[in-house]
Amino acid sequence: MRSLMFNVVTSALLLVQNAVAGPQAPAATGASKGVPRTWNGTNYECKCYVGDSCWPNLQKWNTLNATVGGNLRISTPPAAPCYNSYQSPWGNISTYDAAQCASITANFASEQFQIDLPTAGLWTYFTNDTCRPTTNPTDTCTPGYYPVVVIMAKKTSHIQAGIRFASQNNLRLIIRNTGHDFLGRSVGWGALVINTHSFQDVAFTNSWKGAGTYKGSAVTVGAGVQAINVLKMAHALDPPKVMVTGECATVGVAGGLVQGGGHGPLTTLKGFLADTALEFEVITADGVPRKANAKTNSDLFWALRGGGPASFAVIVSATYKTFDDVVSTGTLLNINTTHTTNATLFWQAVTTFHSYSNHFVDNGLYVYYELGTTGQNLHVQPFVGIGKTPAQLQAVLKPLFDDLDAMGIKYDTSTKSFKTFFDLYIDMFEGEAAGNSALTGGWTASRTDVAKNNAGIISAYQNVLNNGAFIVGHMWNAGAGVPAAEWNNSAVNPRFRDASDKVITIVPIGGNAPLADKAAAQQKLTYVVDGGLRAAAPNGAAYINEADPFQPNWQEAFWGTNYPRLLTLRQKWDPNGVFYAVSTPGTEKWEQIEYGTRLCKKV
């Protein structure tokens, strides 16, 4: 990213802005009153943005910059160096740099490249796609829905200062680690970002001595640590260890992942990442550092374990259980048009595959698959048997392959064994790409739904593909490896304890598409694509990190019977709405009005 030093450029820009905005009010000691706006006949109080009279003056920004050790930056879209100028909120900034543009263009699809930028979102729909890489530098680069200022936090005190500054000046605040988010929570029009990615400390212990009854091995990770890095370090231990992480190697493990629950390849055996959390070091909305565990701030500890990202506190570090790594086996399966062009036979095979969801999770498997990404295509990579030899995994899969053989369909399959799950993780899970634009939804089918209505679920899958979307599936059960007495120790939706298959639905659409097209795509996702899934699996649930935030009754879908308690805790820990993520506890009156720009509260 073309990230401009605050003390080089910002002063002049803010002087120009403040001359336009007019006189500034004195610094507030608490949360400021919102900026009044009316939109579509409804009155709101909004966060403060560039051009509003409440926007902080130059003195305040300079004071903040000094407080955070000079780590305040102007935020620009990642591809700004491909353009002659960036039309910033304060005026045009010359940004063209041929070498930087070439690097950005070559790496735009790289997740790690995007993660290491100050304010990028890995998937671009919610940025408005107004400044993508281009070969024509005379094209227009505007802010879109990107943030405008970022604190590249290096110390806990920097996070504290950012939270207090946002609260006192009523700014929209975004907490970003990796930008690994489908729902646009890592970006936001005109916002201040606190980037926590520099918090990279990792510490292992063989015997946890903190709160609670657990005394086994554990790891404490900083807010910026990604799955692949901590797994590599754990693998290097003697004996090798492993922890619950997401399927994607680049996801951060101490922020939105655990606050959303955190599912991954070990979920059937060990539960969600939230189920393995032992303690958090956090900063709450009042800017105060706190510890949260089973004894200290236990209500906050409960809420942070699956109660919603960016809702209760900023996590500075998290401590999780670790487990001995063991021999593991993986199997691949592909059925596509090279095997059959008979659509009826293909869907018969898909129906058979999915009918074994309960069988797979009951036998401790995790299954990752894609459906319809390239037309008539079922791609399973992989079936994961942690702690299983090839013979043991093949015994679990034999009924499926016997049925496929009986129906006469061809397929490709292969099996590999590994000394540890980590070796399997590195070898068999495929990398993912950044820079794509789409709307994301999804739903979870329970074991009950699969047992009673597998054919109906597959009809709903066909409906997804027939409407131009595709599916990414994850078969796991978050209750199998966690004692029932512990299910309520975290805030995740109790319905996940009877889960069998969680799918992500993806509706491709450009972030810069016409507003009418965006509205139509959202309507299709909510009521046609995902609506069919909800109808076919009525005992299911939605996973907050990978679902449609605009679905009806999202409170029940995301948290079920836990929602009333979460709402109460949100009002306790963040009564003034310092933190915000779409469709999380306590955000019912909040809305991004004026075509997805200003964040405002209905009055």
Side-chain angles (χ1 to χ4, degrees):
M1 171 178 282
R2 183 84 164 186
S3 182
L4 307 176
M5 290 295 293
F6 182 83
N7 56 2
V8 174
V9 178
T10 308
S11 296
L13 294 175
L14 288 173
L15 280 173
V16 172
Q17 185 273 318
N18 281 307
V20 174
Q24 300 292 311
T29 57
S32 301
K33 183 178 177 64
V35 178
R37 306 286 287 196
T38 300
W39 176 249
N40 290 337
T42 300
N43 294 325
Y44 296 87
E45 288 183 354
C46 302
K47 298 289 186 179
C48 186
Y49 294 97
V50 177
D52 294 332
S53 62
C54 57
W55 182 256
N57 60 26
L58 179 58
Q59 180 181 356
K60 292 180 183 178
W61 285 113
N62 281 334
T63 299
L64 175 63
N65 189 41
T67 304
V68 299
N71 287 298
L72 196 63
R73 304 283 187 271
I74 287 289
S75 169
T76 59
C82 292
Y83 297 78
N84 287 335
S85 64
Y86 163 55
Q87 296 180 5
S88 84
W90 302 279
N92 288 354
I93 305 174
S94 296
T95 51
Y96 185 73
D97 185 306
Q100 284 196 41
C101 178
S103 175
I104 289 164
T105 301
N107 291 286
F108 199 71
S110 164
E111 285 193 342
Q112 194 58 52
F113 179 81
Q114 297 271 3
I115 285 166
D116 292 337
L117 299 176
T119 58
L122 268 65
W123 298 279
T124 63
Y125 178 82
F126 289 100
T127 71
N128 209 40
D129 269 341
T130 52
C131 189
R132 293 182 69 87
T134 181
T135 57
N136 181 7
T138 64
D139 284 347
T140 301
C141 175
T142 64
Y145 297 159
Y146 280 103
V148 294
V149 187
V150 55
I151 298 170
M152 300 299 294
K154 303 296 191 297
K155 301 177 180 179
T156 299
S157 61
H158 298 170
I159 301 174
Q160 289 179 265
I163 292 173
R164 288 170 174 161
F165 190 84
S167 176
Q168 291 168 359
N169 294 282
N170 193 33
L171 305 183
R172 180 172 181 182
L173 179 64
I174 291 171
I175 311 302
R176 182 198 188 270
N177 169 22
T178 64
H180 202 293
D181 171 53
F182 293 125
L183 310 184
R185 299 173 306 202
S186 295
V187 296
W189 185 83
L192 167 66
V193 171
I194 299 175
N195 185 303
T196 63
H197 194 55
S198 71
F199 290 73
Q200 291 287 331
D201 290 344
V202 178
F204 293 93
T205 179
N206 289 324
S207 179
W208 167 248
K209 300 186 187 325
T213 60
Y214 179 77
K215 300 303 177 186
S217 61
V219 61
T220 300
V221 295
V225 174
Q226 294 169 250
I228 186 60
N229 295 327
V230 68
L231 288 176
K232 284 180 178 178
M233 294 180 190
H235 181 68
L237 298 174
D238 185 15
K241 296 288 185 179
V242 70
M243 64 173 287
V244 176
T245 64
E247 171 273 329
C248 182
T250 60
V251 70
V253 295
L257 181 67
V258 66
Q259 291 174 87
H263 71 84
L266 272 73
T267 290
T268 301
L269 300 180
K270 305 298 183 182
F272 281 126
L273 178 60
D275 293 314
T276 71
L278 298 169
E279 184 172 274
F280 300 106
E281 297 283 350
V282 305
I283 303 173
T284 45
D286 53 7
V288 176
R290 302 180 193 273
K291 183 178 291 186
N293 57 40
K295 292 184 178 179
T296 303
N297 297 313
S298 59
D299 60 346
L300 179 60
F301 181 55
W302 180 84
L304 289 168
R305 301 170 73 184
S311 298
F312 299 95
V314 178
I315 296 177
V316 179
S317 71
T319 301
Y320 301 110
K321 299 176 184 178
T322 59
F323 311 95
D324 289 338
D325 207 348
V326 293
V327 62
S328 298
T329 302
T331 293
L332 309 183
L333 170 65
N334 286 298
I335 303 175
N336 51 50
T337 52
T338 67
H339 305 106
T340 182
T341 57
N342 184 327
T344 300
L345 183 60
F346 172 78
W347 281 106
Q348 183 183 350
V350 172
T351 302
T352 299
F353 160 73
H354 197 270
S355 71
Y356 282 101
S357 301
N358 294 347
H359 171 73
F360 297 149
V361 299
D362 287 349
N363 282 275
L365 301 193
Y366 171 86
V367 184
Y368 183 89
Y369 68 95
E370 297 171 352
L371 181 61
T373 52
T374 55
Q376 185 175 290
N377 172 50
L378 172 64
H379 175 58
V380 185
Q381 185 164 345
F383 296 93
V384 179
I386 299 173
K388 286 183 167 52
T389 65
Q392 289 171 326
L393 178 58
Q394 289 168 7
V396 175
L397 299 180
K398 186 177 185 300
L400 166 64
F401 287 110
D402 285 348
D403 285 352
L404 295 177
D405 292 339
M407 71 178 65
I409 192 167
K410 297 183 183 300
Y411 52 85
D412 292 329
T413 186
S414 62
T415 296
K416 296 180 70 174
S417 63
F418 302 87
K419 292 182 178 179
T420 65
F421 165 73
F422 175 80
D423 293 318
L424 182 153
Y425 186 78
I426 294 297
D427 185 277
M428 298 196 77
F429 282 95
E430 298 173 297
E432 299 178 7
N436 295 318
S437 180
L439 279 171
T440 301
W443 191 250
T444 303
S446 73
R447 297 176 72 263
T448 302
D449 294 322
V450 173
K452 291 184 176 181
N453 192 33
N454 185 63
I457 293 171
I458 297 306
S459 293
Y461 285 7
Q462 290 177 287
N463 177 63
V464 172
L465 272 59
N466 289 340
N467 277 279
F470 59 92
I471 287 171
V472 175
H474 318 72
M475 293 180 183
W476 44 253
N477 179 279
V482 181
E486 298 179 11
W487 287 356
N488 293 325
N489 288 354
S490 70
V492 297
N493 193 331
R495 287 193 171 196
F496 286 129
R497 305 305 182 181
D498 187 44
S500 182
D501 185 16
K502 189 202 78 66
V503 299
I504 303 172
T505 53
I506 300 171
V507 177
I509 182 171
N512 56 359
L515 292 174
D517 291 353
K518 286 185 174 183
Q522 182 64 60
Q523 184 81 2
K524 179 169 70 174
L525 172 67
T526 300
Y527 295 103
V528 180
V529 171
D530 281 4
L533 297 176
R534 292 192 296 269
N539 297 293
Y543 180 73
I544 180 60
N545 288 344
E546 298 165 341
D548 175 16
F550 304 110
Q551 64 187 287
N553 197 20
W554 54 265
Q555 297 90 338
E556 169 68 22
F558 290 136
W559 289 286
T561 54
N562 285 335
Y563 190 78
R565 184 183 178 192
L566 286 168
L567 181 59
T568 298
L569 291 176
R570 180 63 182 274
Q571 292 164 346
K572 172 185 175 179
W573 288 104
D574 184 18
N576 296 316
V578 175
F579 303 128
Y580 173 80
V582 61
S583 298
T584 51
T587 60
E588 284 83 354
K589 291 185 177 181
W590 289 91
E591 184 180 350
Q592 292 180 118
I593 67 169
E594 298 175 10
Y595 306 111
T597 57
R598 290 178 179 265
L599 178 62
C600 307
K601 188 176 183 179
K602 295 177 183 177
V603 295

